[in-house]
Amino acid sequence: MRTHNCDVLVVGGGIIGLVTAWRAAQRGLRTAVADPAPGGGAAHVAAGMLAAVTELQYGEQTLLDLNLASADRYPDFVAELTAATGLDTGYRPCGTLAVALDADDRAQLRDLHAFQTSLGLEAQWLSGRDCRRLEPMLAPGVRGGLRVDGDHQVDPRRLAAALLRAAELAGVAFLRSAVARVECAADRLTGAVLADGTSVAAGRTVLAAGCESGRIAGIPPDVLPPVRPVKGQILRLRVPPAHAPFLSRTVRAVVRGSHVYLVPRENGELVLGATSEESGWDTAVTAGGVYELLRDAHDVVPGITELPLTETLAGLRPATPDNAPLLGRTALDGLLLATGHHRNGVLLTPVTGDAMAEVLTSDTGELPPYAAAFGALRFGPARQELTV
Ligand code: GLY
């Protein structure tokens, strides 16, 4: 039987697992990632909006602080990744425009603007005409909008590729197999057995397996994180050079109560998303999902129907009961979490890497103050308080 020894085993090689492994290896820890296909996961599906302000939700001010802290870190984070790997992450500080199509949407967006302003966030109200001046492809019926110049984008597939390379260069070992079960001895998690038979002995194990984190074999039921899948269907279109520039920034709207967003990349890709469905582990792309996304996006930007449709895909967001991530120590010695990022996994990648590196290397094993509200114990046997 093949064996592997490490200080830190990261279960899951999506962007959260990769950033955790990269940061741990940079701090001198012998680190391994277990994943049959590292660099995949939910980020392969995601649009990559860094939308701390435009995706603000009522009652989630604590999460907002973490989102803003991570957005602030993005420029240095991607610069460091590119310097380490030579790979571009597609980070684009282009801003976002959230628009309204009817009186109800307009009222909702006005309320959001008032809430943003009350929290000191930067967002500017624009008339429909000013929105169209900024983005001429918008529908003539746009009634107004919010210009948020601080909400940017990154290309999650390129980000994942850069993180994978950075982790390899930092000495992370990639064990290309799934975890069959974790192993415990004397009330402590001691490692894992992989599907290919490899036995991994680890000082600490970090679960970063997205929504799969809630069903890893061998973890006691009361320690398993309360993470559930929330399906998102998403489309990719291509803007031919003759149609460029199509959109210069992310455009989003609420149409008939559903969120729709259009994220234009510099390489001509236009990402159009996303549904949000509580439908278990199903990842089928449905005719209804594609129809609704195209219909709603067409209401906002009618010209999309001219563009080639290049990809339809569905993924699973890892959601928690309070929509916020689960980070750090659990009630089981040797087991830590970095999961449950729900709609904010791409945005929260830099701050998660930093927080997990702190936990893994500090004497106390505590989360740093900026992440303290997101402790993994808050839903577990030893509950902590979280105010979001
Ligand atoms: N943050 C965008 C989404 O989850 O669809």
Side-chain angles (χ1 to χ4, degrees):
M1 185 169 61
R2 217 158 62 98
T3 58
H4 187 92
N5 282 288
C6 54
D7 299 320
V8 178
L9 170 65
V10 180
V11 178
I15 53 174
I16 295 297
L18 290 173
V19 77
T20 301
W22 179 41
R23 292 307 195 199
Q26 281 180 319
R27 301 229 184 168
L29 296 168
R30 290 175 308 140
T31 305
V33 171
D35 192 318
H44 185 71
V45 182
M49 288 181 300
L50 308 175
V53 177
T54 40
E55 287 206 348
L56 174 66
Q57 301 290 322
Y58 297 100
E60 293 186 358
Q61 288 91 318
T62 305
L63 179 57
L64 169 70
D65 290 342
L66 192 71
N67 288 344
L68 289 172
S70 206
D72 279 351
R73 285 164 205 235
Y74 244 98
D76 288 347
F77 176 71
V78 293
E80 184 185 351
L81 265 179
T82 298
T85 63
L87 298 174
D88 180 23
T89 60
Y91 177 70
R92 194 175 168 201
C94 58
T96 297
L97 183 64
V99 299
L101 288 168
D102 62 24
D104 287 346
D105 296 345
R106 193 172 182 278
Q108 195 177 329
L109 210 51
R110 279 285 200 191
D111 285 349
L112 177 65
H113 187 217
F115 184 42
Q116 290 165 336
T117 308
S118 75
L119 296 172
L121 301 171
E122 286 195 24
Q124 183 191 1
W125 183 260
L126 299 182
S127 66
R129 180 177 297 186
D130 284 342
C131 290
R132 281 187 298 280
R133 209 169 273 148
L134 220 49
E135 295 295 343
M137 295 305 287
L138 285 173
V142 164
R143 308 270 297 252
L146 268 181
R147 177 177 175 167
V148 179
D149 286 342
D151 275 3
H152 303 314
Q153 61 154 298
V154 70
D155 183 336
R157 293 178 180 177
R158 289 172 150 208
L159 177 67
L163 280 167
L164 181 55
R165 186 77 190 117
E168 283 168 347
L169 290 170
V172 173
F174 282 91
L175 310 172
R176 291 175 189 261
S177 181
V179 166
R181 64 174 188 282
V182 298
E183 301 237 281
C184 296
D187 288 337
R188 183 181 168 80
L189 199 145
T190 54
V193 176
L194 308 188
D196 67 3
T198 304
S199 174
V200 187
R204 273 151 319 157
T205 297
V206 180
L207 266 194
C211 53
E212 295 289 339
S213 307
R215 55 176 192 179
I216 302 284
I219 298 180
D222 62 342
V223 181
L224 272 175
V227 183
R228 69 180 197 284
V230 175
K231 177 178 171 181
Q233 300 189 48
I234 202 160
L235 315 177
R236 282 172 166 80
L237 289 73
R238 189 168 50 77
V239 179
H243 287 67
F246 192 77
L247 295 173
S248 66
R249 72 203 67 221
T250 297
V251 169
R252 54 186 305 147
V254 180
V255 183
R256 287 175 284 269
S258 299
H259 288 269
V260 65
Y261 46 79
L262 301 98
V263 183
R265 304 235 195 275
E266 255 154 14
N267 65 6
E269 185 176 81
L270 180 67
V271 186
L272 206 163
T275 64
S276 185
E277 302 163 60
E278 300 271 357
S279 48
W281 298 93
D282 165 46
T283 52
V285 174
T286 63
V290 174
Y291 165 71
E292 282 168 24
L293 285 172
L294 287 174
R295 180 196 61 193
D296 294 351
H298 174 262
D299 284 357
V300 181
V301 181
I304 58 149
T305 49
E306 306 286 321
L307 306 178
L309 174 63
T310 54
E311 188 179 81
T312 61
L313 203 55
L316 300 173
R317 305 176 183 89
T320 61
D322 61 8
N323 299 329
L326 296 161
L327 304 175
R329 287 186 298 130
T330 67
L332 179 61
D333 215 13
L335 177 68
L336 296 91
L337 300 183
T339 188
H341 293 70
H342 193 213
R343 297 182 72 94
N344 297 307
V346 180
L347 172 60
L348 289 174
T349 296
V351 82
T352 299
D354 293 345
M356 292 306 294
E358 282 289 310
V359 169
L360 288 165
T361 54
S362 77
D363 291 341
T364 61
E366 297 292 338
L367 284 161
Y370 56 82
F374 304 96
L377 286 162
R378 70 184 187 273
F379 298 114
R383 228 181 116 79
Q384 289 178 339
E385 285 306 312
L386 171 70
T387 327
V388 287

